[in-house]
Amino acid sequence: MTTTGVQTIIYPVKDADRAKALFSALLEVEPYADEPYYVGFKAAGQDVGLNPNGHAQGLTGPVPYWHVSDIRARLAAVVEAGAEVLQDIQDVGNGRLIASVKDPDGNLVGLLQDPS
């Protein structure tokens, strides 16, 4: 299987404290990760992240991340199909790889590969 679906969504935020309060109230859970560069929540089988640097990275809205088994192959396939790379593949810790693209209509699409 090449994808297990959208299980992660990351929101670019300008004020992490305000966004953290809002998502804590919405999801009725406290964050499992609370760092200056990322705040993460787990709720209802979803991973919801807040990225205080997202706007500076060119993100204009929430990015749904498709979990894939081979991020390099999927990234190459979507670029060949017309997507533009916004963020090339990077390791965000513990072997988790992410990348993001913009489709021909301007929609943001993320790819995420967890270590085997």
Side-chain angles (χ1 to χ4, degrees):
M1 175 174 261
T2 59
T3 182
T4 57
V6 174
Q7 299 172 22
T8 302
I9 187 163
I10 298 180
Y11 293 83
V13 299
K14 294 179 180 169
D15 184 329
D17 289 333
R18 287 182 61 194
K20 184 172 31 174
L22 183 145
F23 279 91
S24 290
L26 172 67
L27 302 172
E28 296 182 312
V29 297
E30 291 301 312
Y32 70 86
D34 190 353
E35 301 295 334
Y37 57 87
Y38 182 78
V39 177
F41 297 87
K42 288 193 186 295
Q46 287 290 128
D47 195 353
V48 178
L50 309 176
N51 181 348
N53 302 308
H55 291 286
Q57 296 168 346
L59 302 180
T60 57
V63 180
Y65 281 83
W66 289 85
H67 288 233
V68 297
S69 58
D70 184 344
I71 194 168
R72 286 172 178 71
R74 289 302 94 222
L75 182 59
V78 298
V79 167
E80 186 175 318
E84 172 189 340
V85 174
L86 289 176
Q87 179 185 47
D88 206 354
I89 298 168
Q90 71 177 49
D91 189 319
V92 293
N94 298 323
R96 175 174 266 193
L97 304 175
I98 64 168
S100 60
V101 300
K102 181 169 42 172
D103 75 9
D105 292 308
N107 297 303
L108 303 177
V109 178
L111 303 173
L112 185 153
Q113 177 184 316
D114 279 319
S116 300

